[in-house]
């Protein structure tokens, strides 16, 4: 009797054994990272190390050589751009103008007090009515979903929890925002009736018009913006929930509908005294990560979430905005900038980003802001963050330079768990102090603040697993096929690159004010002079020079040419004296008569006659 073959797990099967496919192996890796072992803590952190048998993908045109990290690059918009396909700039979903249509004045002080206690009051002023679409589109082309970071020419950067806390001044610690399951239309109608006091007919009519479990922002303003302190307590409570739903729908969770907000967020405002206990900053960041990931697909035309705008202004000052001179550090950093539309094309912004260097970045923009808003320790948390059904990884070890540390080769990113298993993250997030980067994982601090240093082997590793330019040279402006120029687009922009580096260096010195020493100032001038003169050997390299080799604090070595020899100016000759005859003296009868006359020499000083 022929017995079926016995498998490794003890079961028998008549089907022949086959080798698992790549998708099955990746699925097994994700399950091993998410499901805790029986003898482990049920909320143990997902492991960074993956199965050694993972397949290695071949490179694509314009993509990384080794696709062990960026596995979905073939679907990325950068891959399409490299092949010559292009699209118009993305449209930013911005509701800054809608916030001004519902303001809380003195007649609605009771609503404002509840909003202030919730920690969301700064959002009422943190909005930009103007957005630079080419700038946002170009940065989205650098975003990579696997690492949730921007892969720029000099390395990686991302939006951290420290950025959210400093830019918006909303809480980043507290309970994770979780929803048990996606909300259906019937459940949305029941929430509107229970928490906003509407009728079944009004709720059904509104959700049917939105064709989803959502309500229009205009509908919220029309029904609740007229309620004042003179109204009943129930009406004030309903209006407060409606205002908070309108506020997060215009700012943190703005979606691509541009007119509505999901009713599921109304559940967070059931108990108004508990609104401030949520980690709104972490939920905002997870939602923004997902919006940026969606925007990396070629067929997408819109971008939700507005936090990216202020983040670019902070880390790339002077490139796309101008500061507000009336800003004070006690206010959110989103109010520091005055965004304006720059008449740049998407192509010109791409070329500017392709030429970016580490010296063009403000790595630590919140140094002056720490006195009013200290650094949040939860920014060192390494794990997953979520907003309802949206779960995204958060990797501070990939952007150590933004925290003032030397960047090293980071561990592999971990795949986030499925939404139905994300309940484990709530307990994991509650113990976030046990899952921050240790001092050993952080490494060494940079020698100089904001220098953006990295270990020598980092850039070699980064060149292999990432793409440092978005466009091929033949698609850039000024491209030529003349012999002797291997990369004409970079050669044509050498002077622009040197000017940018010199201006960035001088800008950091000038912003220091009178507190800096004279040697520091002259050293900066010396380095700027060497950059403009072309003697800086690092001007053509994307890597950051070692601070020990930079002549930043060296004494000035300027040699000024002697002044040209010119003829001395003719001496100034005073005007000749004027000889005038004095008036005839009055005859004195007692004096003897004289036949001779006298002449007197005087200098004329004024036209006014002297009184006698």
């Amino acid at each position: 009797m022929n017995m079926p073959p016995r498998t490794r797990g003890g079961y028998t099967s008549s089907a022949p054994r086959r080798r698992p496919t790549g998708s099955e192996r990746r699925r097994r890796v994700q399950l091993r990272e998410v499901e805790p072992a029986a003898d482990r803590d049920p909320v143990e952190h997902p492991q960074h190390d993956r199965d050694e048998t993972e397949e290695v993908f071949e490179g694509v045109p314009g993509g990384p050589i080794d696709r062990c990290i960026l596995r979905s690059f073939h679907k990325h918009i950068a891959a399409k751009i490299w092949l010559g396909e292009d699209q118009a700039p993305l449209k930013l979903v911005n509701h800054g103008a809608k916030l001004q249509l519902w303001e809380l004045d003195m007649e609605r002080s009771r609503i404002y007090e509840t909003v202030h206690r919730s920690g969301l009051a700064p959002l009422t002023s943190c909005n930009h009515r103007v957005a630079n679409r080419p700038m946002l589109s170009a940065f989205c082309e650098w975003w990579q979903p696997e690492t949730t970071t921007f892969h720029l020419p000099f390395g990686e950067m991302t939006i951290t929890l420290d950025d959210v806390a400093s830019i918006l001044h909303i809480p980043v610690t507290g309970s994770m925002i979780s929803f048990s399951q996606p909300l259906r239309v019937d459940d949305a109608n029941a929430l509107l009736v229970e928490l906003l006091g509407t009728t079944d007919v009004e709720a059904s009519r509104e959700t049917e018009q939105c064709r989803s479990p959502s309500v229009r922002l205009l509908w919220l303003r029309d029904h609740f913006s007229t309620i004042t302190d003179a109204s009943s307590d129930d009406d004030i409570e309903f209006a407060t929930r409606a205002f908070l739903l309108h506020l997060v729908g215009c700012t943190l969770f703005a979606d691509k509908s541009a007119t509505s907000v999901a009713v599921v967020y109304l559940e967070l405002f059931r108990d108004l005294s508990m609104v401030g206990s949520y980690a709104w900053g972490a939920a905002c960041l997870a939602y923004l990560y997902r919006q940026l990931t969606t925007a990396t697909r070629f067929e997408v035309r819109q971008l939700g979430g507005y936090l990216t705008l202020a983040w670019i202004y902070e880390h790339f000052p002077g490139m796309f905005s101008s500061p507000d001179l009336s800003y004070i550090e006690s206010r959110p950093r989103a109010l520091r900038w005055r965004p304006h539309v720059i008449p740049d094309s998407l192509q010109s912004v791409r070329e500017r980003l392709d030429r970016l260097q580490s010296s063009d970045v403000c790595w630590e923009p919140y140094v002056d802001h720490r006195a009013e808003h200290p650094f949040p320790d939860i920014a060192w948390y390494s794990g997953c963050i979520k907003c309802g059904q949206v779960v995204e990884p958060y990797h501070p070890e990939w952007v150590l330079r933004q925290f003032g540390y030397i960047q090293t080769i980071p561990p592999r990113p971990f795949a986030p768990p499925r939404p139905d298993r994300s309940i484990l993250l709530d307990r994991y997030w509650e113990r976030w102090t046990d899952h921050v980067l240790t001092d050993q994982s952080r490494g060494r601090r940079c020698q100089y603040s904001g220098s953006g240093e990295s270990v020598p082997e980092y850039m070699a590793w980064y060149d292999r697993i990432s793409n440092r330019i978005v466009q091929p040279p033949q698609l850039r402006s000024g491209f030529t096929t003349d012999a002797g120029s291997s990369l004409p687009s970079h050669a044509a922009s050498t002077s622009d690159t040197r000017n940018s580096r010199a201006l960035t260096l001088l800008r950091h010195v000038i912003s220091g004010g009178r507190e800096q020493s004279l040697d520091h100032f002259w050293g900066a001038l010396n380095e700027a002079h060497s950059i403009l003169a072309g003697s800086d050997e690092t001007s053509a390299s994307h890597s950051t020079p070692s601070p020990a080799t930079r002549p930043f604090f060296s004494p000035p070595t300027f040699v000024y040419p002697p002044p040209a020899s010119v003829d001395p100016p003719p001496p100034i000759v005073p005007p000749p004296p004027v000889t005038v005859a004095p008036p005839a003296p009055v005859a004195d009868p007692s004096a003897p008569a004289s036949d001779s006359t006298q002449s007197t020499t005087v200098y004329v000083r004024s036209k006014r006659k002297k009184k006698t």
Side-chain angles (χ1 to χ4, degrees), residues 572-580 601-605:
I572 300 177
V573 180
V578 180
T579 304
V580 296
T601 302
V602 297
Y603 289 97
V604 179
R605 296 184 179 180

Side-chain angles (χ1 to χ4, degrees), residues 124-151:
T124 57
S125 57
C126 297
N127 59 87
H128 298 296
R129 301 186 62 180
V130 179
N132 192 333
R133 295 176 57 189
M135 177 192 67
L136 291 173
S137 302
F139 270 91
C140 287
E141 295 169 359
W142 290 98
W143 181 262
Q144 297 297 339
E146 288 82 358
T147 59
T148 59
T149 56
F150 295 101
H151 284 224

Side-chain angles (χ1 to χ4, degrees), residues 273-573:
S273 62
M274 297 297 295
V275 177
S277 63
Y278 292 108
W280 293 101
C284 168
L285 191 58
Y287 184 83
L288 179 61
Y289 282 177
R290 181 60 56 88
Q291 294 294 320
L292 290 171
T293 297
T294 306
T296 59
R297 298 306 178 235
F298 185 76
E299 62 276 3
V300 177
R301 295 293 181 267
Q302 290 181 326
L303 172 64
Y306 71 106
L307 184 60
T308 313
L309 200 63
W311 180 85
I312 296 174
Y313 296 156
E314 287 291 341
H315 289 276
F316 302 90
M319 292 185 63
F320 306 101
S321 64
S322 57
D324 187 356
L325 300 180
S326 62
Y327 169 79
I328 55 178
E329 292 295 342
S330 60
R331 306 172 67 187
R333 274 299 184 99
L335 305 177
R336 184 188 180 191
W337 305 100
R338 291 180 176 178
H340 51 273
V341 178
I342 303 178
D344 284 344
S345 62
L346 180 57
Q347 175 66 22
S348 63
V349 178
R350 284 173 181 166
E351 295 181 6
R352 293 177 65 183
L353 294 184
D354 279 345
R355 297 194 301 265
L356 274 180
Q357 297 185 11
S358 177
S359 58
D360 300 327
V361 182
C362 182
W363 291 102
E364 300 178 64
Y366 312 118
V367 175
D368 298 335
H369 198 61
R370 297 305 184 196
E372 299 289 341
H373 200 79
F375 174 82
D377 293 335
I378 199 172
W380 286 113
Y381 163 80
S382 179
C384 286
I385 53 179
K386 75 171 186 175
C387 175
Q389 299 294 315
V390 176
V391 181
E392 293 291 338
Y394 178 75
H395 298 125
E397 58 269 29
W398 284 66
V399 289
L400 291 175
R401 288 181 287 187
Q402 293 183 228
F403 298 94
Y405 285 78
I406 299 177
Q407 182 62 57
T408 58
I409 298 179
R412 289 197 175 190
F414 49 85
R418 299 196 305 267
D420 57 346
R421 298 176 180 269
S422 62
I423 191 63
L424 299 176
L425 292 178
D426 295 346
R427 288 179 286 174
Y428 185 84
W429 174 265
E430 292 174 358
R431 304 190 314 184
W432 64 266
T433 54
D434 299 334
H435 308 291
V436 297
L437 293 184
T438 62
D439 294 339
Q440 183 179 1
S441 301
R442 301 176 192 180
R444 297 181 293 109
R445 294 194 64 91
C446 296
Q447 185 175 0
Y448 302 108
S449 177
S451 58
E453 303 174 46
S454 61
V455 296
E457 60 270 15
Y458 171 75
M459 290 307 301
W461 168 84
Y462 183 70
D463 284 337
R464 192 179 72 255
I465 60 97
S466 181
N467 60 316
R468 292 179 59 174
I469 56 176
V470 171
Q471 281 188 320
Q474 60 269 20
L475 295 182
R476 301 173 187 168
S477 59
F479 175 78
T480 178
T481 57
D482 295 340
S485 178
S486 59
L487 200 59
S489 59
H490 282 287
S493 60
T494 302
S495 60
D496 295 338
T497 303
R498 292 175 179 173
N499 293 338
S500 177
R501 292 191 60 197
L503 291 176
T504 302
L505 179 64
L506 295 178
R507 182 172 63 247
H508 287 286
V509 175
I510 295 174
S511 62
R514 299 181 178 180
E515 299 179 358
Q516 302 185 70
S517 62
L518 187 60
D519 294 339
H520 190 182
F521 176 76
W522 282 109
L525 289 181
N526 182 28
E527 186 172 359
H529 178 267
S530 63
I531 292 175
L532 295 176
S535 59
D536 186 11
E537 297 179 357
T538 62
S539 61
S541 175
H542 291 287
S543 59
T544 305
S546 175
T549 62
R550 300 170 67 182
F552 196 79
F553 295 97
S554 59
T557 57
F558 295 113
V559 179
Y560 297 97
S565 58
V566 294
D567 296 334
I572 300 177
V573 180

